[in-house]
Amino acid sequence: MTATQEWLRSILVVAALLGSGVAALSQLEPGFMPKGGKTLLVEIFGASPAGAELKNVLTSRRTDEEWRGALGEGAKKLSEVEQRTLAAYLSVNMPLQPEAIERLKKPSDLEEVLPRDGRDLAWYECQSCHSLFSSHLTQDRSVQAWLNMFQSPFHRGLKMTAQEREEFARYSALNMPMKIDDVPRDLRF
């Protein structure tokens, strides 16, 4: 076997191994991670996306503390951390644009018009470059420390808006680190 053939064989073996790892990870879902604000909001209002109470939420701007006081009965079933996560999500992402609100006709519409939350951003943005486990799930950082992470050269080029970075940082500061046993074995690397 020539050196070129050996090199090509090695490349094919590595590609096959990487492909099988990606396929295994693609079977996983982010449901093991703490819920993000979008998920929590859909749980509270998803059955009635055209209701006046939801429209008030989607058209208002409030601080985290103001949101915690304004969320009403639906939020009372949430844990303390979930209430804080939802309030942070709303303070970063509301109000929605009027055209997004006009698209709310049926229950599934709410999930489609809401911006991604911190869990979605971590799941879909972090894993393309490095381990979600070591880079996100096991980190204990403040909001500012998470925002500072975006200043590193390899994170500056991420296709995330300032609003998405703020959402990611707030979600992560509230919900990380996770307990190792709560993370699926296939993601512990």
Side-chain angles (χ1 to χ4, degrees), residues 8-175:
L8 282 172
R9 182 173 183 247
S10 297
I11 294 294
L12 290 173
V13 167
V14 169
L17 289 172
L18 287 174
S20 65
V22 169
L25 286 178
S26 69
Q27 302 295 320
L28 296 173
E29 293 292 330
F32 69 92
M33 294 172 63
K35 295 173 185 174
K38 176 180 178 176
T39 302
L40 295 167
L41 191 63
V42 168
E43 283 181 8
I44 293 172
F45 292 106
S48 58
E53 187 179 6
L54 175 61
K55 291 225 174 155
N56 183 46
V57 168
L58 300 179
T59 59
S60 299
R61 180 176 303 283
R62 294 183 172 103
T63 65
D64 291 27
E65 288 307 311
E66 290 169 337
W67 276 117
R68 290 197 59 206
L71 287 173
E73 290 299 312
K76 288 184 181 174
K77 66 181 179 179
L78 304 177
S79 72
E80 174 73 16
V81 172
E82 287 175 328
Q83 288 178 31
R84 292 174 62 204
T85 299
L86 177 55
Y89 175 81
L90 294 170
S91 71
V92 169
N93 293 290
M94 295 304 128
L96 286 183
Q97 297 296 318
E99 52 274 5
I101 296 168
E102 290 171 15
R103 294 193 333 243
L104 293 173
K105 305 289 187 231
K106 57 188 184 306
S108 62
D109 293 341
L110 181 58
E111 197 163 353
E112 292 176 23
V113 302
L114 290 172
R116 294 187 296 176
D117 60 31
R119 178 172 75 175
D120 291 339
L121 291 164
W123 186 258
Y124 293 107
E125 299 300 329
C126 297
Q127 293 186 89
S128 60
C129 296
H130 46 73
S131 162
L132 184 66
F133 181 69
S134 61
S135 67
H136 185 254
L137 302 177
T138 60
Q139 300 298 310
D140 186 7
R141 299 179 185 177
S142 68
V143 171
Q144 189 57 56
W146 282 109
L147 288 170
N148 290 347
M149 175 204 63
F150 289 112
Q151 298 306 311
S152 63
F154 43 88
H155 284 129
R156 281 189 211 140
L158 283 173
K159 303 288 188 235
M160 288 173 66
T161 66
Q163 182 175 322
E164 288 174 323
R165 290 171 187 230
E166 180 75 17
E167 168 57 26
F168 174 89
R170 288 173 175 234
Y171 168 83
S172 300
L174 286 166
N175 292 284

Side-chain angles (χ1 to χ4, degrees), residues 1-11:
M1 191 178 284
T2 69
T4 302
Q5 289 172 323
E6 286 181 36
W7 180 79
L8 282 172
R9 182 173 183 247
S10 297
I11 294 294

